[in-house]
Amino acid sequence: MVVSRSDVVSFLESLVVLRATREPRRRREHRRPHRVRRPFEGRTVVVTGASAGVGRATARAFGAAGARVALLARGRVGLEAAAEEVRRAGGEALVVPVDMAVPWMVEEAADRVEARLGPVDVWVNVAFTSVFAPFLSVAPEEYERVTDVTYLGCVNGTRAALRRMLPRDRGAVVQVGSALGEASVPLQAAYCGAKHAVNGFTASVRLELLHRHSRVAVTVVQLPAVNTPQFSWALSRLPHRPRPVAPVYQPEVAARAVVHAARRPRRKEYRVGASTAVAVLARRLVPGLVDRYVARTAYDSQQTGEPARGEDPHNLWAPLDGPGGRDHGAHGDFDDEAAAHSPYSSLARHPAVAGAAAAGAAALAARTLRPRRGTRR
C-alpha cells in the first residue's frame, strides 16, 4: 500500500481532533462566557510583506489583538486595503511603502514607524519573492533578486528592529520561515536557499542575544504550503501553472501562529501544520528515502493541470499592486482545498506533546515511503 504525505498529515490531524473532543461534557457546560482578548492593545507591531498573503492576514490578526500595526511592502494599493482591514478589526494602521531589499529604506521606514506609532514592540519579517523554474532557467539577476528580498530583506528588517529594541532591552522579532528552509524541493532553488539562510542567520542572532542575557527575543515560525497570491504573481517558467504542494492551509492559520509566537518569542521555533513537522522530521530521520520520493513527485505536485499562459505579469521587479495595479488580498486561488484550521498547530504550542506526535508521524511516513523488495522505483 502506498500512502502519500497528505494521508499521513490527515491521519495526524485527525488524532489531534479526537484528543480535543474528549473533554468531559460537564466542563464545557460550566465555562465562563468568552471574553474578547486584545493582548497587543497599545503595542506597536511592524509586519513586512503586509500587502498580501500571510503578511496581510498577520497584519489583520494583530489589528484584532489591539495593536498599532505598521504595514510595510512595495505595493501601495494592497497596503491601503490591508490598512482598512486592520482598522475594521479594531487596530490602528500605518502604511509605509518600502522595498525590504534596500537597507536604508528599511531604516527610514523604522524611523517613520516609531515617530508615528511609538517604539516597536514586535517586528515580523514576512516579505519574500520567488521564481518557479529549474535552476539553470533562472537568470543570475533573478536569483539575486529573490535572495535580496527573501533573505536580505529579513536581515535588514531584523537589523532595524534590534537597533531600536536592544537599547530598551525589550521586544520580539518573528521570522516567517518555511518547511522548505529545511526540506527543499526542486524548481524553487532560490527560495529554498534563501529560507535555509534565514534559519542559519536567525540561529546565530539568537545565540548572540542569549550571550548578552538580553530580554529581546527572536523566533522562527515555519510554515507549510499556504493559499496565497504567490502562485499567481510569482515569476514562473513551468509548463503548467504553479500551485502549493498539498496539504494546503489558509493564511489565517499562519497568522494565528505568528501572533502566538510574538506573545511567546523565547521558543526557538514554531512549526505550523502537521505537514511541516512530517517534512522536517522525515528529512532528518530518513533523508535518502525522502529525497527519492520528493525528486519523483515534486515536479507534478507543484503544478496544476492548467497549461501556463506564457510569462504572465509577475512581481519580481515591481509590485503588481503598485500604481495602476489591483489589490490581491490574502488568499490565492486554492480556497476550495485549503484548510482553515490546523489542530496540530494548536497542539504544537506544547512542544513535548507535539514532538512525540510529529516523531510518530515521521516514522509512519518513512515506513510508507520505503520501497518493498522486488519493486522498482
Side-chain angles (χ1 to χ4, degrees), residues 36-43 58-69 82-94:
V36 176
R37 302 180 64 185
R38 295 171 64 84
F40 287 90
E41 187 82 50
R43 299 174 68 185
T58 297
R60 190 167 58 228
F62 275 111
R68 298 187 292 255
V69 186
E84 183 57 31
E85 291 180 355
V86 170
R87 296 183 188 109
R88 287 202 303 266
E92 183 179 347
L94 174 66

Side-chain angles (χ1 to χ4, degrees), residues 151-197:
Y151 170 51
L152 293 182
C154 175
V155 172
N156 295 335
T158 303
R159 182 189 297 112
L162 293 183
R163 281 179 172 172
R164 290 154 179 83
M165 293 176 178
L166 286 176
R168 301 190 287 261
D169 198 29
R170 61 182 174 85
V173 178
V174 181
Q175 322 285 30
V176 174
S178 169
L180 302 188
E182 294 195 46
S184 294
V185 295
L187 305 177
Q188 294 193 62
Y191 179 81
C192 291
K195 287 301 187 181
H196 273 75

Side-chain angles (χ1 to χ4, degrees), residues 22 36 52 57 60 73 79 91 136 140 185 224 297 311 327 341 344 350:
R22 293 180 61 189
V36 176
R60 190 167 58 228
L79 284 175
L136 291 181
V185 295
T297 63
E311 195 164 289
D327 175 33
H341 301 279
Y344 174 85
H350 307 282

Side-chain angles (χ1 to χ4, degrees), residues 227 243-250 333-340:
N227 174 36
R243 59 152 292 139
V245 178
V248 184
Y249 296 86
Q250 295 287 26
D333 297 331
F334 302 93
D335 279 331
D336 290 345
E337 64 176 283

